[in-house]
Amino acid sequence: MHRTLNLILLLLALASAFALYVLKYDTRRMEARVQGLQRSVDKLEGEIARLNGEHAHLSRPERIEPMARALGLAPIGPRQYLRLGASPPAVAEAPVAATRQR
Amino acid sequence: MRSSDSIGPGFDGVVRPARRPAAPGLRARALRVRALLALTALLLAFAAVAAQLVRLALQSAPRLRLTMAEAAPTAWARPDIVDRNGRLMATDRAVNSLFADPQIILDLDEVIEKLTGVLPGLNAAELRRTLADRSRRFVWLARGLGSREAQTVHELGLPGLGFRTELRRFYPLGPLGGHVLGAVSVDNRGLAGIERMIDEEGLAEPARGAERNLRPAVRLALDIGVEHAVAEELRRGLAQFGAVAAVGLVLDARTGEIVAAVSLPEVDPNRAADLLDAELIDRLTNGTFELGSVYKILTVALALELGLADLDTVLDVRQPLRVGSHVIKDHYPQGRPLTVREVFLYSSNVGAGMLALQAGTERQRSFLAKLGLLEPMRTEAGSVAPPQLPDSWGRAETITIAYGHGLAVAPLQFAAAAAAVVNGGEKLTPTLLLRADAPPKAERVVSETTSAGLRELMRLGVTHKAGTGRRAEAEGYGVGGKTGTAEMPGRGGYREKSVISSFLGAFPMEAPRYVTLVMLFEPQGTGETRGRITAGVNAAPVTARVVERIAPLLGVLPRLVQAHQAAPGTPAFDAPPEAQ
């Protein structure tokens, strides 16, 4: 009687030990995964910051202005404004006249 | 031992008292042998420990030498800085810093040869000295390498070298806005400008490795596009007139926000050493200057405010003013009495002096104090150079200050005072940061009527055919302003050929939205200006070009568009609601 009970308890103990082992192993694996993900998040955030900086550097006005001027663009002049509803030919004329000025 | 007793059913046989008397002599001997054995074993163990100690002490002495812990420098992670439209001006970027563990380095010569080949910035002799010290376990070799350089070093495959990522401040726009931004140290601490404010406000955080600062970005009042346009036009002006330095300022006349602040020559915040160069100081805030005739804006405002004169009051300016042995004359004498309007228009020193004398020293002084010109001023980037007051403020000083000599202030401080005079009369506190909400209710410094009078005069200075500022006219934007040409103080008096020419402007003049200040230091006469160096021929046209470029960026619509003349019948575009 006692013997059976002991056996069952022993088996239970073994089973729970195994379950615990599996659980612990899983946790550890997941922790590693979380860490990995965190690392890649950090890395990507750093990458985003780097690209933002690079974007700002490449789109700095000092660099864009000569490019725009080379394309025939210029700062908008006071004669290029028209009231909304002005006749279409006038709208079409203004920018053309401005590029010709260059 | 157990085997001798194992015949019995239990081990208790060993201590059975019945057996003890059987062989008392034998028992004692066995005990002694056992004790001896134990003692020998212990001695051997101790000897082994001792031998090991001796061996370690003799053989591996260098390996066990104590290494001093390298003080890990605390690096700082800083929030980004953006302009008023959210465009990036400063950010932290992860960089690779190369370090070495001298103990692990196998072939010193190979390491030095290969590293200096890849990183030409390294000094071979210094590198040898650093790496030869085998007692150290951590030395920085090169900090802040780019990823490509780091990759090249990595590919050398040298043992004993390693990388750590750390944060390094990066200013993607280069010198643009450099004076406002300031600079940081090698450990990313703010040294000057807005960067120092970030540290003082506790927004920078100590960081390990490349942990970024997650605080929201610091948003400036500057507009990168406007800042660039002003810098660009100033550069052109600098070259055109051969000036040594230039200053440009665009101030929001209602909120006090500094939309553009340029001082040429520029500093590059990516090079902190620029800050130490006296030639590169921010002349807008860190220098004080006598600005000359632009002060007449304040003198006329004083006279109008006190009710001493209106625009049509006639002053007899034919006689020069005498101060001791000094005679104050007009540059463009008209040979007849002038109205206050004409005094401003022809920039008459005598007229300005007479108005100031009427007001008196005390009232002049308290008026300038009310405008905030006599007290040191501060912006978020730190203290502005304090005003240089005259040693004694008597009759002579009252006259000279009336036309802008004898009281030297930082250009920013003057522009703020002048802005208060033209914006309807409310005191303005310049700010480098974007105002999140409406500015606090401002103190009134001059009446609405005085302000309107000054606006009329300043517009007249540009539109009138005899106005000194007529070259400041930017078609459609209604620029108004006042020129000032001040001789620079030199050894033993003023130097006539070295001047600071300035133009304080505002647009659109009926209801100014922006106040501008353009200053050129020591401009030269050119063929185009027929040798003249006065502000009317240099600072004024630069202002016109600045306004023409920045008005569209700032959403100020031109008042007069002549394109409709080409297509008759189209409605005239003369008064957009924004410009009213």
Side-chain angles (χ1 to χ4, degrees), chain A residues 42 45-46 49-50 52-54 56-63 65 69 75-87 89-90 93-94, chain B residues 87-88 91-93 170 172-173 175-176 212 214 224 228 232 475 477 548-549 552 556-558 560-564 566-567 570-574:
Chain A
D42 288 350
E45 268 174 359
R50 189 182 67 78
N52 273 338
E54 219 150 275
H57 181 63
L58 292 175
S59 61
R60 67 191 188 279
E62 200 186 342
R63 179 169 174 271
E65 188 184 337
R69 286 198 189 271
I76 188 164
R79 286 161 192 258
Q80 286 170 289
Y81 287 89
L82 280 179
R83 173 172 283 188
L84 207 62
S87 58
E93 255 169 47
Chain B
R87 294 180 68 180
L88 193 64
T91 188
D92 276 350
R93 135 177 116 161
F170 172 56
L173 305 181
L176 196 64
R212 293 179 52 76
L214 298 176
I224 287 176
H228 168 74
E232 205 49 36
E475 189 185 6
Y477 295 113
E548 239 166 55
R549 271 189 79 166
V556 177
L557 293 175
L560 190 114
V561 172
Q562 286 165 11
H564 69 267
T570 46
F573 186 100
D574 52 322

Side-chain angles (χ1 to χ4, degrees), chain B residues 246 270 346 568:
Chain B
N270 291 305
Y346 300 128

Side-chain angles (χ1 to χ4, degrees), chain B residues 275-316:
Chain B
L275 283 181
L276 304 173
D277 193 333
E279 288 297 306
L280 305 181
I281 64 154
D282 184 2
R283 288 171 169 82
L284 187 62
T285 59
N286 284 342
T288 59
F289 308 98
E290 298 174 315
L291 297 177
S293 300
V294 288
Y295 263 76
K296 285 171 191 158
I297 296 172
L298 308 183
T299 307
V300 173
L302 167 70
L304 296 186
E305 184 68 11
L306 294 176
L308 301 172
D310 58 39
L311 298 185
D312 295 310
T313 307
V314 177
L315 301 170
D316 188 358

Side-chain angles (χ1 to χ4, degrees), chain B residues 230 234 247-251 258 260-262 284 411-412 415-416 515-518:
Chain B
V230 173
L234 282 181
V247 157
L249 170 73
V250 179
L251 196 60
I258 296 171
V262 181
L284 187 62
L412 175 66
V515 169
T516 62
L517 176 64
V518 168

Side-chain angles (χ1 to χ4, degrees), chain B residues 467-515:
Chain B
T468 49
R470 37 179 212 290
R471 281 167 223 245
E473 174 69 336
E475 189 185 6
Y477 295 113
V479 183
K482 179 80 194 81
T483 54
T485 309
E487 286 162 15
M488 289 172 81
R491 205 177 299 158
Y494 286 95
R495 299 182 300 169
E496 248 178 58
K497 289 289 156 212
S498 295
V499 300
I500 300 174
S501 68
S502 36
F503 189 86
L504 185 111
F507 69 95
M509 204 61 230
E510 324 72 67
R513 284 185 56 193
Y514 294 98
V515 169

Side-chain angles (χ1 to χ4, degrees), chain B residues 423-445:
Chain B
N423 76 354
E426 286 180 354
K427 193 169 178 176
L428 206 70
T429 312
T431 173
L432 286 166
L433 300 182
L434 189 74
R435 285 203 196 275
D437 34 47
K441 185 78 191 115
E443 180 196 343
R444 176 160 290 280
V445 286

